[in-house]
Amino acid sequence: MYSYERIKDNNPILAATYREYFERWFQNHGNNYHHDNNDPTGFSNPYTDDMCWIGLTLLRMSEVLDDNKFADTARRLYDTYIITRKWTDDKGTGLPWNNENNSNGRSRNTCTNTPGCLMAAKLYQKFGDEKYLSDAMTLYQYAVKNLLKADGRMEEPPLTYTQGTFGEACRQLYHITGEKQYMQYAEKVINYTITSNRCLRNGILRDEGTSMDQSIFKAVFIPYAVNLALDKDADNTIRQNLILFLRKNADVLSANLNRGAYPEMYCSYYWGEKFSGGVASMGAQASGASLLEGVTRMNLALDNH
């Protein structure tokens, strides 16, 4: 979608191909497994976090394509299948990981509540319904009280995708409310990710694992980190450090990619080394593409200002 925005005006053939991808993904319900047969959206899922990622994708598609059918679907998915799962105790109100009525399924973890908070904030921005802003603040409060550590970690271990998602949720809440505390939390969790050795290896983002889920984490973090780097309301020192950090990561990855050679044409799990063979992970390719596209977007925006 970010690539589509960049090329749509000067490469109509590729833009049309992208639009076909988007439409096929939507019509095929993203190959969503195990959805409720009575679900008119086709995107419901036993795992609440998966529905939140789907919902965020739908909302982004609506922004990129200026087509409300995607946002309307996200809204129905959220209203019917996501927020209806929330539950409350003395810790507050949060979203459970899945719909199983056991301690594991009912756990209100970061990977569910941070995209849930962001989705609610974006639904408020799209539709203006106060209930979405109320939900976003409720989930934000749950995250700050129960999931955020004093040093800026979101849960343990700190993972790029949840760091980035909560940072973006806070940044969006800042722009909705104008309250500086939200931007300060956005800065804190994003800055932790680019400065803590828990998230880094040799100064660039570490390998977070070889499963499909783990290898795609960085693909989620990068666009939200770029958004903060380009946000003129953010602390200027943090912005400048973030710009340098993202460019360094892109330079290192580029130095370890060779599109004319096999298997060096593939992106490794860790950007500081060449891919040496075996099965190339689609998640790792998504993360590498996200980095290069994100830094391109950032550089173009900075050049234009």
Side-chain angles (χ1 to χ4, degrees), residues 189-251:
V189 297
I190 298 292
N191 191 59
Y192 177 89
T193 315
I194 71 167
T195 58
S196 170
N197 287 331
R198 300 294 309 285
C199 299
L200 306 177
R201 177 178 163 194
N202 297 326
I204 64 172
L205 292 173
R206 69 179 180 89
D207 166 10
E208 294 177 280
T210 58
S211 76
M212 184 64 74
D213 282 349
Q214 294 166 328
S215 62
I216 208 168
F217 288 166
K218 294 193 286 287
V220 179
F221 172 78
I222 294 297
Y224 299 146
V226 170
N227 289 351
L228 186 65
L230 294 176
D231 195 323
K232 293 184 178 180
D233 286 355
D235 178 85
N236 191 58
T237 298
I238 290 176
R239 287 184 63 209
Q240 294 306 312
N241 289 339
L242 188 51
I243 290 166
L244 293 174
F245 175 83
L246 291 167
R247 285 174 172 167
K248 178 181 178 181
N249 277 257
D251 288 343

Side-chain angles (χ1 to χ4, degrees), residues 83-277:
I83 199 60
T84 51
R85 292 185 181 179
K86 69 181 181 182
W87 63 278
T88 304
D89 64 3
D90 57 353
K91 294 182 179 180
T93 299
L95 291 168
W97 184 39
N98 63 40
N99 62 358
E100 296 177 4
N101 191 23
N102 56 45
S103 58
N104 193 37
R106 283 173 60 81
S107 64
R108 294 167 295 182
N109 52 20
T110 302
C111 76
T112 303
N113 284 278
T114 55
C117 178
L118 177 56
M119 187 177 177
K122 290 181 74 73
L123 283 168
Y124 172 76
Q125 290 171 314
K126 174 64 178 177
F127 295 105
D129 191 325
E130 290 292 334
K131 71 179 182 181
Y132 297 124
L133 180 56
S134 177
D135 288 345
M137 289 181 169
T138 295
L139 297 176
Y140 161 86
Q141 289 162 359
Y142 182 85
V144 169
K145 180 180 178 182
N146 300 287
L147 304 172
L148 177 66
K149 311 300 182 185
D151 59 1
R153 282 173 297 150
M154 293 302 302
E155 232 173 29
E156 177 64 29
L159 298 169
T160 53
Y161 78 128
T162 43
Q163 296 288 133
T165 310
F166 187 63
E168 179 68 2
C170 293
R171 195 184 71 85
Q172 296 287 350
L173 285 172
Y174 163 77
H175 284 288
I176 291 169
T177 66
E179 296 180 20
K180 191 65 176 177
Q181 65 172 350
Y182 295 114
M183 180 62 84
Q184 290 169 342
Y185 274 122
E187 294 165 349
K188 186 171 187 176
V189 297
I190 298 292
N191 191 59
Y192 177 89
T193 315
I194 71 167
T195 58
S196 170
N197 287 331
R198 300 294 309 285
C199 299
L200 306 177
R201 177 178 163 194
N202 297 326
I204 64 172
L205 292 173
R206 69 179 180 89
D207 166 10
E208 294 177 280
T210 58
S211 76
M212 184 64 74
D213 282 349
Q214 294 166 328
S215 62
I216 208 168
F217 288 166
K218 294 193 286 287
V220 179
F221 172 78
I222 294 297
Y224 299 146
V226 170
N227 289 351
L228 186 65
L230 294 176
D231 195 323
K232 293 184 178 180
D233 286 355
D235 178 85
N236 191 58
T237 298
I238 290 176
R239 287 184 63 209
Q240 294 306 312
N241 289 339
L242 188 51
I243 290 166
L244 293 174
F245 175 83
L246 291 167
R247 285 174 172 167
K248 178 181 178 181
N249 277 257
D251 288 343
V252 169
L253 172 60
S254 296
N256 284 300
L257 285 177
N258 183 348
R259 294 183 64 184
Y262 177 87
E264 293 88 350
M265 62 186 288
Y266 289 117
C267 178
S268 186
Y269 299 104
Y270 172 59
W271 294 331
E273 62 191 14
K274 289 181 171 62
F275 183 74
S276 58

